[in-house]
Amino acid sequence: MGLQALLESGLRADQEVSKPHYVRQKERLRIELVNAQFDLQQARLPVLILVSGDDRRGINAVVQLLHEWLDARYLDTTVAPEPSQGDRQRPPYWRFWAALAPRGRIGLIVGGWAAAPIRSRLSRELDDAGFDAYVSHAARFEQALAADGALVLKFWLHLPRKERKRRLAGDRPEADGPWQMLDSDEAVRENWDRWVPLADRLLEATDSPLARWHVIDGTQERVRNLAVARLLLTGLQRLLARRNPRPASILRGRRNLARTPNALAAVDLAMRFSDNDAYAEARDKQQGALARLTREAREQGLSTIVVVEGWDAAGKGGAIRRLTRGLEVRDYQVVPIAAPSQEEQSYHYLWRFWSQLPRPGQMTIFDRSWYGRVLVERVEGLARPEEWERAYTEILDFESQLVGQGIVLLKFWLHIDADEQLDRFTAREKTPYKKYRIGADDYRNRARRADYVTAVNDMVARTSTRLAAWHLIPANDKRYARVAVLRTVCGALRKAL
């Protein structure tokens, strides 16, 4: 049976559940759910529950039931109504990443990314292509979380059309008082013929082995409550039985390593300034232009993200400092990325980057970035092959959402050769205020340069797109690299403005 047929039938149960049977089942399920929740907390496993659908009263009742049957202290609930003005200034999925619960807790999202695109399509805020793009991001969002080990449990609560008419007409008295019709109920009724195909498209596009939809009829409340509780308990028990819940993802990056071009080999490392006067003149010119462009970006609400990656001692910090000297303090933030903190390890690896997105008109500069997943974590074995393999696709989706929101995204790799790197290591050791910036790890990483070259070339080949291309900067001459970064940022801002 197709998903549209499921919506029309509402998965109706043939028999009602008696009250004594319901009470017995309720007590047993409550005990087992709380026990599973405690085990979940101890094992630090992530759970995400999405409750959405067209049965508003049923959604409210299920949320209340989960708060009653579970230990609410370890249940993080987010209701996702119409996005706020602040939400609209960022990529749509920013607010859903922000709502994720850490490992060991249960995150409960009401409405969420299932309700939002239908509501926006009905109001014509989204066209057909926009709706499909939103839903496509939803599928990748869910699968990224599930592949990272999360239990993604989705309930679609449906009220059949005839039952809806009876309730809205007041033909069916409710145990807790008369049915209160809201604008959202009227909107579903008036737009039923448009609403059902949209729901069908959404459910079909986002139903996957890692994130199944459970369509539940809301006509019989006891049947509905027991169905939700049993499905949740089964999901928690399976997650706990796995204990190391990181299944192979169906999201894969393009794997064609045999023909990956050697992009680094094509970088002309001989590029340099002839003297300091020529460098200073070019630097000052670009910094002046950047100051004007960022003021205009602030006025227009244009946000910018600059990613600075490169070899150890390639001059990332120096390039960033030359950028920020052309900016007002209020217009930028620099985010240095190191090993994830204990809190950050409680989430999907992209979470900490979503949380650092710039406000409208601001520039955020990442000193290293989400590409650590396919660089250091890959080379050093901190991520398993299936984890860094799927990261290419996850990163492409992340960046497409940034660019789709109108954010200017620039990615730089500062490239130096092995001899220049060794010279800079030696110079750091001899400079008192730079000694802290060199250690055994730097030399160990240098010894694996061939592995990093392979990883960088794969990264460039698989994540350089028309809208978010990699800029490979010759950095044997620090002065040339600094001006090249400034010039590229200015050029991108001019084009965007």
Side-chain angles (χ1 to χ4, degrees):
M1 182 182 290
L3 288 171
Q4 183 157 344
L6 289 177
L7 281 171
E8 291 294 351
S9 69
L11 293 179
R12 294 184 61 118
D14 294 331
Q15 296 181 350
E16 177 64 274
V17 174
S18 68
K19 186 172 183 179
H21 177 76
Y22 177 74
V23 170
R24 288 193 301 271
Q25 292 297 309
K26 170 184 172 181
E27 293 307 312
R28 180 185 63 81
L29 286 167
R30 288 185 68 172
I31 293 171
E32 294 186 11
L33 280 170
V34 170
N35 286 338
Q37 188 181 14
F38 176 80
D39 292 340
L40 175 82
Q41 183 189 7
Q42 296 302 304
R44 297 187 72 249
L45 300 175
V47 175
L48 176 64
I49 302 173
L50 175 64
V51 181
S52 196
D54 60 280
D55 182 5
R56 178 179 59 82
R57 182 179 184 279
I59 292 170
N60 289 336
V62 165
V63 172
Q64 292 169 354
L65 174 124
L66 292 175
H67 276 265
E68 178 184 350
W69 290 17
L70 295 169
D71 189 333
R73 295 175 299 170
Y74 308 109
L75 181 63
D76 299 338
T77 302
T78 301
V79 179
E82 288 284 347
S84 66
Q85 184 62 31
D87 294 334
R88 293 179 187 277
Q89 294 172 334
R90 292 182 169 90
Y93 281 79
W94 173 83
R95 59 182 177 141
F96 302 128
W97 279 94
L100 294 180
R103 300 181 190 278
R105 299 179 65 85
I106 295 177
L108 174 60
I109 296 182
V110 183
W113 54 93
I118 295 178
R119 186 167 54 232
S120 296
R121 184 69 187 96
L122 289 176
S123 66
R124 304 189 188 283
E125 182 180 344
L126 287 178
D127 59 15
D128 234 27
F131 176 86
D132 289 337
Y134 198 114
V135 170
S136 176
H137 287 308
R140 289 193 283 270
F141 173 59
E142 294 170 359
Q143 292 173 30
L145 297 178
D148 193 52
L151 169 65
V152 180
L153 198 58
K154 302 183 297 183
F155 298 107
W156 185 275
L157 302 183
H158 173 59
L159 201 61
R161 194 171 192 176
K162 290 183 180 179
E163 179 65 19
R164 180 182 305 280
K165 287 182 177 179
R166 283 197 298 270
R167 291 190 182 185
L168 293 178
D171 292 340
R172 176 174 174 173
E174 302 297 339
D176 57 350
W179 172 254
Q180 300 295 316
M181 185 173 73
L182 299 181
D183 290 344
S184 56
D185 303 307
E186 186 65 30
V188 171
R189 182 172 69 173
E190 291 182 352
N191 293 281
W192 186 261
D193 291 338
R194 293 177 60 210
W195 188 93
V196 169
L198 289 173
D200 183 63
R201 284 165 60 187
L202 180 142
L203 291 173
E204 188 168 15
T206 57
D207 187 61
S208 73
L210 297 180
R212 287 287 185 206
W213 273 108
H214 302 283
V215 182
I216 298 176
D217 179 12
T219 304
Q220 301 178 39
E221 296 180 16
R222 295 170 190 159
V223 174
R224 176 199 65 206
N225 292 352
L226 292 180
V228 169
R230 286 168 178 158
L231 287 166
L232 174 56
L233 179 60
T234 299
L236 292 177
Q237 289 173 339
R238 288 177 178 170
L239 181 68
L240 290 164
R242 220 164 44 221
R243 292 286 174 172
N244 188 20
R246 298 199 176 185
S249 174
I250 61 175
L251 280 179
R252 292 276 184 184
R254 292 180 291 108
R255 186 167 180 81
N256 190 14
L257 303 186
R259 290 184 288 176
T260 298
N262 190 343
L264 292 182
V267 178
D268 184 1
L269 291 175
M271 300 297 291
R272 61 185 63 250
F273 275 99
S274 58
D275 56 58
N276 277 329
D277 290 341
Y279 161 65
E281 181 181 356
R283 178 200 62 203
D284 293 347
K285 177 182 177 181
Q286 296 301 325
Q287 285 178 337
L290 182 61
R292 294 189 297 273
L293 289 164
T294 51
R295 284 196 295 271
E296 188 176 347
R298 182 207 313 149
E299 293 167 0
Q300 294 191 20
L302 177 68
S303 302
T304 306
I305 293 177
V306 178
V307 170
V308 183
E309 295 277 2
W311 297 105
D312 293 333
K316 295 183 292 297
I320 290 171
R321 286 192 293 275
R322 272 61 183 186
L323 269 179
T324 58
R325 285 176 187 172
L327 305 174
E328 292 189 38
V329 173
R330 61 174 170 165
D331 288 336
Y332 74 90
Q333 65 169 339
V334 177
V335 182
I337 299 300
S341 66
Q342 185 174 358
E343 179 192 15
E344 290 165 346
Q345 290 175 8
S346 297
Y347 296 89
H348 188 281
Y349 74 95
L350 284 176
W351 174 83
R352 61 171 168 161
F353 303 108
W354 276 98
S355 65
Q356 297 283 0
L357 296 188
R359 297 192 301 272
Q362 266 207 330
M363 177 183 292
T364 296
I365 303 169
F366 286 96
D367 184 353
R368 300 195 186 275
S369 69
W370 45 92
Y371 282 98
R373 189 69 155 187
V374 297
L375 294 174
V376 64
E377 291 186 35
R378 167 184 172 171
V379 174
E380 302 299 331
L382 301 174
R384 293 192 298 276
E386 64 268 21
E387 291 177 320
W388 59 258
E389 269 285 342
R390 67 172 178 260
Y392 295 115
T393 305
E394 295 168 349
I395 287 170
L396 287 173
D397 183 62
F398 173 45
E399 293 179 351
S400 72
Q401 293 187 60
L402 301 180
V403 175
Q405 186 66 17
I407 295 173
V408 176
L409 175 60
L410 292 157
K411 305 184 297 189
F412 296 99
W413 176 267
L414 303 190
H415 186 46
I416 58 177
D417 62 34
D419 291 339
E420 177 66 21
Q421 185 182 49
L422 182 59
D423 289 344
R424 293 185 186 182
F425 281 4
T426 303
R428 283 184 176 183
E429 290 175 331
K430 295 178 179 179
T431 305
Y433 64 88
K434 290 186 177 181
K435 281 185 176 181
Y436 74 95
R437 296 170 59 188
I438 188 73
D441 285 347
D442 297 290
Y443 284 101
R444 184 175 57 81
N445 292 342
R446 185 175 182 277
R448 303 198 64 178
R449 184 179 176 96
D451 294 331
Y452 276 99
V453 166
T454 299
V456 173
N457 282 326
D458 288 349
M459 174 190 76
V460 172
R462 299 168 77 169
T463 63
S464 195
T465 65
R466 181 177 61 85
L467 297 176
W470 275 102
H471 300 276
L472 306 182
I473 305 296
N476 268 12
D477 179 10
K478 292 182 179 181
R479 301 171 304 178
Y480 181 88
R482 293 164 182 172
V483 172
V485 170
L486 281 163
R487 185 180 291 118
T488 304
V489 173
C490 288
L493 286 174
R494 286 193 191 94
K495 183 178 180 180
L497 290 167

